[in-house]
């Protein structure tokens, strides 16, 4: 499966035309957003040996869930999600910053994906890419998800984390309510997250800040740089920073391939120099915060692969890293008692983590050993 492939394209490659594919696509859409298919996860097709008709489609959504489509005797297509056999191991790691969070945390055995999650969790309170200094501390409790028979776990949720920078501690607690809605909160129950992500791609390096006057690296003239440039390898996934509606997706002068998204409060975000735009991302399409919208590239006027991210309000550009968006709602009163139990246990485990060169297994009473 290649980047940018869709289920429709995969079926077409196997000789399944649009009319035959339509009921399969419609059935799948009822249980899973097909725009979220990832290239690193394969699609398995099963055909009848005698008639060569398509019998089933299986796609692994994540480390725990399988999308299953099956042809029925009456000609309809049944769609469902199946839980894969797995178990969850809760791990904890603590350490001090010497070089940087990414380098030090990974050296301590923390998965790189967890480090990227921390950048999103603490985004507007602690800039994990630039604020941390030698001597600052980090403590993290996270899930390792093991599939039955697997040899390597897949990181799950960060359950709790604390960063101590310049003597100031910021703590995040993951809490999921009875309806399955999860988010990160301070120990007080106030939300830590905002309506906007701070970064449109995973933990990375900023190579050029928002500026009203900058020497252009190609044109060699001084002019405003009305956005932020992120260095990243070609093909790195780019995410929508907030909920909204795509207002433009295509080529846009110096920005090359570009996506623009209209948000609430007259805000519009722009993502330029993309190597490609994700399937389904087109003018008028709704998008959610964190949704894949494209891939880092060097189209347009660019010296190399990077993302140009900009934000404007009523047509006037603003520094996107200085506009945090609204704080989300605190823990609802009806869930307060459950949150207090989770918060107390996670806070206690974070405080008890020793500084060691590898993660430790952590036992939490409010979580079972298997699927919940």
């Amino acid at each position: 499966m290649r980047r940018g492939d869709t289920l429709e394209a995969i079926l077409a490659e196997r000789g399944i035309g649009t009319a035959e594919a339509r009921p399969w696509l419609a059935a799948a859409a009822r249980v899973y957003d097909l725009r979220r298919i990832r290239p690193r996860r394969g699609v398995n097709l099963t055909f009848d040996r005698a008639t060569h008709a398509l019998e089933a489609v299986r796609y692994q959504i994540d480390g725990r869930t399988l999308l299953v489509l099956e042809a029925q005797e009456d000609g309809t297509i049944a769609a469902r999600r199946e839980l894969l056999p797995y178990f969850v191991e809760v791990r904890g790691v603590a350490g001090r910053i010497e070089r940087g969070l990414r380098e030090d945390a990974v050296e301590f055995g923390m998965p790189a994906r967890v480090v990227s999650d921390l950048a999103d969790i603490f985004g507007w309170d602690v800039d994990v890419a630039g604020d941390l200094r030698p001597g600052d501390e980090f403590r993290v409790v996270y899930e390792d998800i093991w599939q039955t028979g697997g040899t390597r776990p897949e990181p799950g949720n960060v359950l709790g984390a604390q960063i101590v920078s310049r003597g100031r501690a910021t703590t995040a607690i993951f809490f999921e309510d009875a309806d399955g809605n999860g988010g990160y909160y301070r120990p007080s129950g106030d939300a830590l997250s905002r309506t906007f992500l701070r970064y449109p791609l995973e933990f990375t390096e900023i190579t050029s800040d928002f500026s009203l006057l900058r020497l252009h690296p190609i044109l060699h003239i001084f002019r405003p740089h009305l956005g932020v440039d992120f260095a990243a390898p070609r093909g790195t996934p780019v995410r929508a920073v907030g909920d909204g509606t795509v207002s433009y997706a295509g080529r846009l002068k110096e920005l090359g391939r570009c996506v623009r998204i209209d948000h609430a409060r007259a805000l519009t975000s722009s993502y330029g120099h993309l190597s490609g735009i994700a399937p389904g991302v087109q003018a008028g399409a709704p998008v959610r915060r964190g949704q894949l919208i494209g891939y880092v590239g060097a189209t347009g006027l660019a010296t190399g692969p990077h993302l140009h991210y900009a934000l404007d309000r009523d047509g006037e550009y603003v520094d996107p890293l200085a506009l945090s968006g609204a704080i989300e709602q605190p823990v609802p009163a009806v869930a307060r008692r459950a949150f207090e139990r989770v918060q107390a246990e996670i806070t206690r485990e974070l405080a008890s983590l020793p500084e060691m060169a590898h993660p430790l297994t952590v036992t939490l009473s409010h979580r079972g050993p298997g699927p919940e």
Side-chain angles (χ1 to χ4, degrees), residues 49-305:
R49 290 187 177 182
T51 65
H52 303 293
L54 182 62
E55 287 188 327
V57 176
R58 289 176 172 81
Y59 168 69
Q60 188 176 331
I61 295 172
D62 53 35
R64 290 176 278 183
T65 317
L66 195 68
L67 170 66
V68 180
L69 309 176
E70 292 178 327
Q72 306 298 296
E73 291 184 359
D74 62 1
T76 60
I77 308 300
R80 67 180 185 277
R81 291 176 182 238
E82 283 186 2
L83 282 177
L84 294 167
Y86 75 95
F87 70 92
V88 177
E89 183 180 22
V90 179
R91 308 283 277 168
V93 63
R96 291 181 183 272
I97 301 294
E98 293 184 2
R99 294 165 295 168
L101 180 62
R102 175 179 286 278
E103 297 86 350
D104 295 328
V106 171
E107 189 172 289
F108 271 68
M110 189 191 303
R113 228 286 304 284
V114 173
V115 180
S116 294
D117 288 345
L118 294 179
D120 285 339
I121 293 167
F122 290 106
W124 295 107
D125 283 72
V126 181
D127 179 2
V128 299
D131 286 351
L132 301 184
R133 298 290 183 268
D136 289 346
E137 303 172 24
F138 62 90
R139 298 174 177 275
V140 186
V141 173
Y142 63 93
E143 296 174 322
D144 265 346
I145 299 171
W146 294 83
Q147 285 184 243
T148 301
T151 59
R152 180 178 298 179
E154 178 176 302
N157 289 321
V158 172
L159 302 179
Q162 183 180 76
I163 290 179
V164 180
S165 179
R166 299 175 177 85
R168 175 178 175 268
T170 304
T171 304
I173 307 294
F174 179 75
F175 177 69
E176 194 172 52
D177 64 21
D179 295 325
N181 301 310
Y184 289 93
Y185 300 88
R186 303 179 192 278
S188 64
D190 292 328
L192 194 65
S193 56
R194 310 290 179 100
T195 53
F196 270 35
L197 294 173
R198 182 166 191 169
Y199 303 114
L201 65 172
E202 291 188 352
F203 191 89
T204 187
E205 177 187 1
I206 295 174
T207 55
S208 188
D209 291 306
F210 181 91
S211 173
L212 296 179
L213 196 64
R214 181 194 72 155
L215 179 63
H216 195 280
I218 295 178
L219 301 178
H220 302 295
I221 60 173
F222 284 96
R223 67 178 192 176
H225 184 249
L226 302 177
V228 175
D229 289 348
F230 295 88
R234 188 186 306 272
T236 298
V238 176
R239 313 171 295 180
V241 294
D243 296 350
T245 302
V246 177
S247 57
Y248 183 84
R251 287 194 170 268
L252 188 62
K253 300 179 181 178
E254 294 179 1
L255 288 178
R257 286 195 185 92
C258 176
V259 172
R260 286 176 58 82
I261 300 172
D262 291 338
H263 308 278
R265 298 190 298 153
L267 290 168
T268 298
S269 58
S270 302
Y271 313 80
H273 306 306
L274 302 175
S275 62
I277 295 172
V281 176
Q282 56 192 5
V287 293
R288 303 288 293 175
R289 181 182 64 182
Q291 180 179 323
L292 173 71
I293 58 170
Y295 307 93
V296 169
T299 56
L301 196 61
T303 56

